[in-house]
Amino acid sequence: MADAEPATDARGDDGTAASSDGDAAARTVAFTAEGFREGFVTGLPVALGVAGYGVVFGVVAARAGLSVAETALMSATVLAGAAQFVAVQLWADPIPVVAVVTTTLVVNLRYVLMSAALRPWFRHLTPAQAYGSVFFFADENWALTMATLRAGSRRGAFMLGSGVVLWLLWIASSVAGATAGDLVGDPRRLGLDFVVTALFVTLAAGFWEGRSSLAPWAAAAAVAVGANAVVPGEWYILAGALAGAGVEVVSYDD
């Protein structure tokens, strides 16, 4: 086997040193105001789409008995639409703490796999920068961040910027839904219940890499649908994620 050529230094648009071996994941990232601003601006259209879903959550939360303040607090501290919907559907007096915590944990276990995908870039950041960014970690800005970093960007603050704008609009739209739920009426009448589905399909299209993407996507879909049919609860989310990741690992070609 021929010896690998030594990597040479190059400079990106953020001024950080990078290897010229073409592996974006190995490049040093920088945590800068420019990266934050790029993430904020890029994430704004996506956050506006998510806001429609936030209105739906606010309506559902109010009908479940949460006050406007409680709805805002949940959105500000959890920032996970699917988990929040599950939580309010289980809401009762007294609150079934074990059921709520267990179910939302299962729903959010997918973030373990998703955050692991960020490690090649985030290992260059300080703990404060990395963990501060993942507080604002949601499916939508994760997809934007992964697409941006895989394209060669070395702006490590991109996730924080895109997450902050998502967080702000998620809280605002949740409050709007909880406050004006009677005016909104049935969210399905306005198609608001389909907003996130359409958004996820659009984001997923950006990850399509041709025929090589077919096997993991098909495995994830098949396992998720099958698990949903035979296993109660939200385990199908984790099952589908693990299946897709497993197929990708097995078929990965060094």
Side-chain angles (χ1 to χ4, degrees):
M1 184 175 71
D3 292 334
E5 295 183 2
T8 57
D9 286 340
R11 295 280 169 179
D13 56 3
D14 55 8
T16 57
S19 170
S20 64
D21 61 2
D23 184 3
R27 297 175 179 176
T28 301
V29 297
F31 200 84
T32 62
E34 289 77 9
F36 179 91
R37 183 168 56 249
E38 180 186 358
F40 194 98
V41 172
T42 304
L44 180 58
V46 173
L48 289 171
V50 173
Y53 193 48
V55 172
V56 178
F57 170 71
V59 172
V60 173
R63 292 176 181 174
L66 275 72
S67 67
V68 174
E70 289 169 336
T71 301
L73 181 62
M74 181 182 283
S75 289
T77 56
V78 179
L79 188 59
Q84 290 179 230
F85 270 97
V86 169
V88 298
Q89 288 169 1
L90 296 173
W91 211 259
D93 187 16
I95 299 172
V97 175
V98 175
V100 170
V101 171
T102 302
T103 306
T104 54
L105 176 63
V106 171
V107 171
N108 284 341
L109 277 175
R110 70 190 187 280
Y111 287 131
V112 175
L113 296 174
M114 294 165 66
S115 60
L118 290 166
R119 177 168 170 73
W121 297 275
F122 274 35
R123 64 187 174 88
H124 297 291
L125 305 181
T126 67
Q129 293 168 345
Y131 293 117
S133 296
V134 297
F135 174 81
F136 300 95
F137 180 2
D139 300 90
E140 294 82 8
N141 69 313
W142 173 85
L144 287 177
T145 301
M146 285 298 298
T148 300
L149 293 175
R150 289 171 63 183
S153 173
R154 282 159 277 169
R155 290 179 167 169
F158 183 95
M159 169 164 278
L160 180 60
S162 59
V164 166
V165 67
L166 184 69
W167 180 72
L168 292 173
L169 287 179
W170 178 249
I171 297 171
S173 59
S174 297
V175 170
T179 303
D182 292 338
L183 297 177
V184 174
D186 185 355
R188 292 174 296 182
R189 181 174 57 85
L190 302 176
L192 294 177
D193 60 319
F194 189 71
V195 169
V196 169
T197 301
L199 186 61
F200 273 124
V201 171
T202 302
L203 291 173
F207 284 91
W208 179 257
E209 297 179 341
R211 189 172 298 177
S212 62
S213 298
L214 184 59
W217 285 32
V223 171
V225 171
N228 186 48
V230 300
V231 180
E234 313 298 330
W235 288 99
Y236 68 93
I237 298 175
L238 181 61
L242 288 173
V247 170
E248 179 67 16
V249 168
V250 171
S251 61
Y252 183 76
D253 184 6
D254 290 332

